[in-house]
């Protein structure tokens, strides 16, 4: 079947997606062009910024791929004091980012819940509630999600990492804290609470097949997500999964696979927000602008205070750990320009998909 014919179909089957993910390099440009035109038509050529604040690397989970897993003793743990978090949020506001993203290791405790609620309320005071807030603080109870929603968070990113139960089992310890079903239940809770709900997967994992990646995209489509953050799997040496490094695709192929995943998702879910992930930069210089050109429309410049940045290492070669927040802003402007797009300053940059859904449900009532 001719690629262009396939790309113009109304919907893609699992077989179609596998075919697109396996396209040889010299045939993939049609895919990227199609994705870029879909993005242009449905969400435009504006890039939304989320100033990323990695507020703590303390985590109760032990995922086999992650550098801040509980059992990694090689890492210096930190918790950024509230006043420094607020200062970073103020920086985002002063620089017209429009939104921030608060990210941390996964902790379930009353004190952690209260702390996030307090921070949300304080951030809401900056610029009179004009900063949008995305949270990425892992699995919590529905009550906690509700509390944070009421305190001012309106987007939540909880990456499934893989939609396949079998592969999920190989990436996590087999205990009650690491259950695929719990993670999916959390995604439903977030959606039902009213959050713009995002998820994502790692691309190019050991043991992962193109069929599983196709299933990941179909999972996001059937879940009707509002936003997606997915990127290439990058090894962290102090993790159990590092022993399988010999099974990995070369970095260039992992990068191309990431581009294809973003492009196909853009074609399947035309009006969602898709992040051009920082991890891309760890394996390919100038990678983030390529991902923007393949259909993404969100960037997350890291504005975590410099002295903590090296400690939030989820994987090796993490980029930008030595650049100041000011440098991050300059670099972002340059890369967006290189991608032929423009930054939309001072706006929340909410998911059009979410807003359309809200509009349609209110019409039904």
């Amino acid at each position: 079947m001719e690629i262009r014919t396939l790309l113009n179909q109304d919907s893609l089957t699992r077989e179609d997606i596998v075919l697109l993910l396996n396209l040889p390099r010299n045939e993939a440009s049609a895919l990227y062009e199609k994705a870029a035109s879909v993005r242009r038509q449905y969400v435009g050529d504006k890039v939304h910024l989320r100033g990323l604040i990695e507020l703590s690397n303390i985590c109760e989970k032990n995922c086999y791929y992650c550098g801040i897993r509980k059992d990694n003793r090689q890492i210096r743990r930190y918790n950024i004091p509230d006043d420094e978090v607020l200062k970073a949020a103020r920086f985002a506001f002063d620089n017209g980012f429009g939104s921030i993203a608060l990210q941390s290791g996964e902790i379930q405790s009353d004190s952690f819940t209260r702390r996030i609620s307090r921070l949300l309320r304080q951030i809401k005071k900056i610029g009179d509630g004009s900063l949008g807030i995305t949270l990425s603080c892992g699995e919590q109870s529905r009550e906690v999600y509700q509390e944070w929603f009421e305190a001012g968070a309106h987007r939540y990113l909880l990456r499934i990492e893989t939609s396949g139960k079998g592969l999920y089992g190989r990436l996590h310890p087999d205990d009650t804290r690491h259950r695929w079903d719990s993670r999916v239940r959390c995604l439903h809770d977030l959606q039902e609470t009213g959050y713009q709900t995002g998820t994502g997967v790692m691309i190019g994992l050991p043991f992962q097949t193109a069929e599983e990646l196709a299933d990941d995209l179909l999972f996001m489509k059937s879940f009707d997500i509002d936003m997606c953050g997915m990127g290439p799997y990058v090894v962290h040496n102090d993790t159990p999964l590092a022993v399988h490094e010999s099974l990995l695709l070369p970095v260039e192929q992992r990068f191309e696979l990431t581009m294809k995943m973003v492009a196909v998702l853009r074609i399947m879910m035309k009006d969602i927000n898709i992040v051009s992930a920082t991890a891309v930069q760890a394996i390919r210089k100038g990678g983030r602008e390529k991902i923007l050109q393949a259909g993404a429309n969100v960037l997350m410049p890291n504005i975590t205070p410099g002295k903590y940045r090296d400690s939030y290492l989820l994987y090796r070669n993490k980029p930008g750990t030595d650049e100041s927040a000011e440098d991050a802003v300059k670099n972002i402007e340059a890369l967006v320009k290189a991608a032929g797009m423009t930054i939309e300053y001072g706006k929340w940059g909410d998911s059009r998909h979410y807003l359309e859904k809200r509009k349609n449900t209110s019409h039904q009532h």
Side-chain angles (χ1 to χ4, degrees), residues 1-287:
M1 184 175 192
E2 225 268 299
I3 292 302
R4 288 180 197 280
T5 321
L6 176 60
L7 292 172
N8 287 322
Q9 287 177 181
D10 281 343
S11 65
L12 297 171
T13 64
R14 185 182 196 230
E15 289 70 30
D16 295 337
I17 297 169
V18 170
L19 186 110
L20 292 170
L21 295 180
N22 285 330
L23 279 179
R25 182 186 290 185
N26 59 349
E27 289 177 39
S29 58
L31 168 64
Y32 304 141
E33 282 160 27
K34 173 69 177 178
S37 77
V38 169
R39 189 208 54 232
R40 203 164 294 125
Q41 186 184 342
Y42 287 86
V43 298
D45 275 334
K46 296 270 196 281
V47 173
H48 306 302
L49 300 183
R50 316 272 184 253
L52 176 63
I53 305 170
E54 296 159 331
L55 60 98
S56 170
N57 67 352
I58 298 166
C59 191
E60 293 174 345
K61 296 190 82 166
N62 239 337
C63 311
Y64 293 152
Y65 48 82
C66 183
I68 65 169
R69 63 196 303 270
K70 182 165 74 85
D71 284 355
N72 183 6
R73 303 275 179 262
Q74 308 300 318
I75 181 177
R76 187 174 59 100
R77 302 287 174 176
Y78 73 85
N79 221 332
I80 303 182
D82 286 11
D83 60 327
E84 290 184 56
V85 174
L86 293 170
K87 199 171 147 196
R90 163 67 65 182
F91 174 87
F93 173 71
D94 289 343
N95 284 275
F97 281 18
S99 281
I100 58 167
L102 294 178
Q103 190 173 48
S104 71
E106 294 202 21
I107 299 171
Q108 293 185 358
S109 75
D110 290 345
S111 62
F112 181 74
T113 300
R114 283 196 303 273
R115 177 183 187 208
I116 297 295
S117 297
R118 187 174 66 237
L119 279 170
L120 289 168
R121 283 192 289 269
Q122 289 170 311
I123 291 163
K124 273 296 164 209
K125 291 180 185 152
I126 295 173
D128 218 14
S130 56
L131 265 183
I133 307 173
T134 303
L135 281 182
S136 185
C137 300
E139 295 174 30
Q140 304 290 344
S141 68
R142 185 187 280 240
E143 292 70 35
V144 169
Y145 288 147
Q146 183 69 44
E147 178 179 325
W148 289 346
F149 188 75
E150 287 166 12
H154 57 109
R155 290 189 288 251
Y156 203 105
L157 179 66
L158 182 70
R159 288 170 47 146
I160 187 77
E161 303 302 6
T162 172
S163 64
K165 282 190 175 181
L167 183 56
Y168 194 91
R170 298 181 82 162
L171 302 176
H172 299 88
D174 183 14
D175 61 32
T176 51
R177 192 154 260 173
H178 302 81
R179 288 278 181 261
W180 186 90
D181 295 332
S182 310
R183 210 148 181 92
V184 172
R185 193 198 60 239
C186 285
L187 281 168
H188 282 296
D189 287 347
L190 287 163
Q191 223 171 25
E192 287 159 21
T193 302
Y195 284 96
Q196 290 172 53
T197 304
T199 193
V201 295
M202 286 180 288
I203 300 161
L205 285 158
F207 334 113
Q208 190 181 46
T209 64
E211 285 73 16
E212 284 170 314
L213 286 168
D215 289 338
D216 288 339
L217 294 174
L218 291 165
F219 169 86
M220 293 190 235
K221 171 100 173 141
S222 72
F223 209 96
D224 203 20
I225 60 167
D226 304 303
M227 52 192 207
C228 173
M230 59 181 170
Y233 165 63
V234 186
V235 179
H236 188 296
N237 297 348
D238 304 317
T239 60
L241 209 61
V243 301
H244 300 294
E245 188 164 7
S246 61
L247 301 176
L248 297 181
L249 291 170
V251 285
E252 190 54 35
Q253 281 175 259
R254 255 178 290 158
F255 173 72
E256 284 174 12
L257 197 50
T258 302
M259 254 175 92
K260 289 171 183 166
M261 285 283 285
V262 165
V264 175
L265 182 62
R266 174 56 73 200
I267 293 164
M268 290 170 65
M269 301 193 75
K270 298 176 172 42
D271 55 355
I272 66 170
N273 279 345
I274 303 179
V275 177
S276 176
T278 313
V280 167
Q281 209 74 355
I283 62 169
R284 167 77 181 261
K285 196 168 165 44

